[in-house]
Amino acid sequence: MYLSPRFRAFAAGAALLAASALAQAQQALPNVVILATGGTIAGAGASAVNSATYAAAKVGVDKLIAGLPELSKIANVRGEQVFQVASESLTNDNLLTLAKRVSALSKQADVDGIVITHGTDTLEETAYFLTLTVRTNKPIVVVGSMRPGTALSADGALNLYDAVSVAGSKDAAGKGVLVTMNDNIDSGRDVSKNVNIKTSAFSSQWGPLGMVVEGKNYWFRAPVKRHTMNSEFDIDNISTLPVVEIAMGYEGVSSIAIDAFAKSGVKAIVHGGTGNGSVANRIVPNLQKARTDGAIIIRSSRVADGFVIRNAEQPDDKYDWVVAHDLRPQKARILAMVALTKTSDTKELQRIFWEY
Ligand code: DGL
């Protein structure tokens, strides 16, 4: 088909204008990096009705991004596959590797926000570790899903869209590591998985920080505990994590676990006690001996909500024990590992448990 020189010049000019408008539009969008680690959000089931029976950690980050073209309208997104594992199988070394990558990216001028896709089983532990150790004000958002993308009413796509939207939001800066699940924006410190099969699995006893709806953030409170830029810890100065184990309290509890932990030379034992961190009288001597032999003893509670009162159920001053405040055993373990990279002084440790 003949095109006049004048039309060809017009078409070329229009194409140039369109290209520059697109480039300008993309420049206006935030740059968000998605670090993928596995989990259900990367899971796949045999059929659409398999909302609970499926294989986690199957779908790669590029496929996750390609499967959500709406992301390109809210951010310039690129992905990195850090791991491809179910989160219950993550290790301390995985945690260090991930946090160091987040820290390095947060220092790049061409990165405005970071999303970590993660299995929901230990998402709360990773989110807390990152908020304690990554020194940045940029938004870091950890996200997962309770159903694989292959299932009816899968929740991963909207959770991921919300995570990228929040990670690219200027008003999400300086709030510590965040978790976007089921329309909520939760604090990485406060949130836990409280239901093991519902899309509304995640919540905090202190409530969400806000909500994200159709790409807009609605904030209702801000964290008061120290985090990120206000933390005294820095992942760039942490190369290994001390061994901290958890011993649960329950009717009929024996000292087998505590004695084994103490004998193995753990740095600290978190006791997930009943009620307000109660300890069965028959195992108090075992914890006292573990303390005498050098292990730090941290009294937490198996009860989901509330917080352990120092010197209430046990004479913590007399025994030289630390209380975990409102932190559940799994979160208390994260803080204990980080704190013990800096100090073993129990008064300093207790301050850290009050402040973080
Ligand atoms: N295996 C669990 C995990 O990777 C699946 C649960 C999920 O990711 O929602 O945490």
Side-chain angles (χ1 to χ4, degrees), residues 39-41 54 56 85-88 118-122 145-146 193:
T40 296
I41 196 166
Y54 57 83
V85 293
S87 71
E88 67 271 18
H118 194 290
T120 59
D121 285 7
T122 63
S145 74
M146 295 301 292
K193 183 176 184 178

Side-chain angles (χ1 to χ4, degrees), residues 249 271-280 284 287 297-303 305 307-309 312-316 321-325 329:
H271 180 260
T274 53
N276 195 249
S278 309
V279 181
V284 168
L287 285 173
I297 305 301
I298 298 161
R299 245 177 2 101
S300 175
S301 170
R302 72 181 198 180
V303 177
D305 293 346
F307 52 88
V308 176
I309 308 284
E313 284 293 341
Q314 295 292 332
D316 300 296
W321 292 355
V322 176
V323 292
H325 203 20

Side-chain angles (χ1 to χ4, degrees), residues 80-142:
E80 294 181 10
Q81 193 77 46
V82 184
F83 315 116
Q84 184 69 290
V85 293
S87 71
E88 67 271 18
S89 301
L90 289 169
T91 65
N92 282 358
D93 285 345
N94 293 149
L95 210 42
L96 289 167
T97 301
L98 176 64
K100 288 179 184 297
R101 186 63 188 140
V102 174
S103 178
L105 284 167
S106 72
K107 293 176 173 60
Q108 291 181 203
D110 63 344
V111 173
D112 299 306
I114 299 162
V115 167
I116 296 103
T117 58
H118 194 290
T120 59
D121 285 7
T122 63
L123 189 149
E124 63 205 76
E125 296 163 64
T126 296
Y128 192 31
F129 184 80
L130 294 173
T131 212
L132 291 170
T133 61
V134 178
R135 308 292 296 278
T136 183
N137 267 326
K138 292 180 182 175
I140 301 172
V141 185
V142 189

Side-chain angles (χ1 to χ4, degrees), residues 43 112 163 182 184 192 302 319 350 354:
D112 299 306
N182 199 39
N184 281 338
S192 283
R302 72 181 198 180
Y319 293 168
Q350 187 63 77
W354 293 144

Side-chain angles (χ1 to χ4, degrees), residues 28-305:
L29 291 177
N31 298 323
V32 173
V33 179
I34 298 178
L35 297 179
T37 71
T40 296
I41 196 166
S47 85
V49 295
N50 286 124
S51 60
T53 310
Y54 57 83
K58 291 294 175 200
V59 179
V61 64
D62 291 337
K63 203 168 172 196
L64 286 179
I65 295 169
L68 199 48
E70 292 78 7
L71 291 179
S72 62
K73 298 186 181 67
I74 59 171
N76 299 316
V77 175
R78 69 176 178 82
E80 294 181 10
Q81 193 77 46
V82 184
F83 315 116
Q84 184 69 290
V85 293
S87 71
E88 67 271 18
S89 301
L90 289 169
T91 65
N92 282 358
D93 285 345
N94 293 149
L95 210 42
L96 289 167
T97 301
L98 176 64
K100 288 179 184 297
R101 186 63 188 140
V102 174
S103 178
L105 284 167
S106 72
K107 293 176 173 60
Q108 291 181 203
D110 63 344
V111 173
D112 299 306
I114 299 162
V115 167
I116 296 103
T117 58
H118 194 290
T120 59
D121 285 7
T122 63
L123 189 149
E124 63 205 76
E125 296 163 64
T126 296
Y128 192 31
F129 184 80
L130 294 173
T131 212
L132 291 170
T133 61
V134 178
R135 308 292 296 278
T136 183
N137 267 326
K138 292 180 182 175
I140 301 172
V141 185
V142 189
V143 66
S145 74
M146 295 301 292
R147 297 172 180 156
T150 49
L152 291 173
S153 303
D155 55 330
L158 182 55
N159 287 352
L160 180 55
Y161 180 87
D162 288 346
V164 171
S165 169
V166 171
S169 306
K170 289 189 171 33
D171 65 6
K175 290 186 167 68
V177 170
L178 303 170
V179 173
T180 56
M181 295 287 289
N182 199 39
D183 306 329
N184 281 338
I185 307 173
D186 274 289
S187 151
R189 175 200 185 272
D190 298 343
V191 77
S192 283
K193 183 176 184 178
N194 293 303
V195 184
N196 60 14
I197 52 172
K198 280 185 174 180
T199 52
S200 58
F202 281 75
S203 59
S204 153
Q205 67 171 322
W206 312 121
L209 300 180
M211 285 189 72
V212 48
V213 180
E214 295 187 4
K216 181 170 170 44
N217 304 334
Y218 299 85
W219 302 103
F220 298 98
R221 64 186 188 87
V224 295
K225 298 295 186 180
R226 295 176 65 177
H227 59 74
T228 58
M229 282 309 279
N230 186 30
S231 172
E232 64 199 271
F233 308 106
D234 185 344
I235 188 61
D236 296 345
N237 303 328
I238 299 175
S239 52
T240 59
L241 291 171
V243 178
V244 176
E245 298 291 355
I246 300 172
M248 295 306 289
Y250 45 86
E251 267 190 30
V253 65
S254 75
S255 64
I256 295 170
I258 291 164
D259 295 343
F261 289 153
K263 191 173 174 210
S264 71
V266 297
K267 195 81 173 136
I269 298 172
V270 174
H271 180 260
T274 53
N276 195 249
S278 309
V279 181
N281 53 20
R282 61 182 171 277
I283 63 166
V284 168
N286 304 78
L287 285 173
Q288 285 176 300
K289 183 174 184 314
R291 178 73 197 106
T292 310
D293 293 349
I296 298 294
I297 305 301
I298 298 161
R299 245 177 2 101
S300 175
S301 170
R302 72 181 198 180
V303 177
D305 293 346

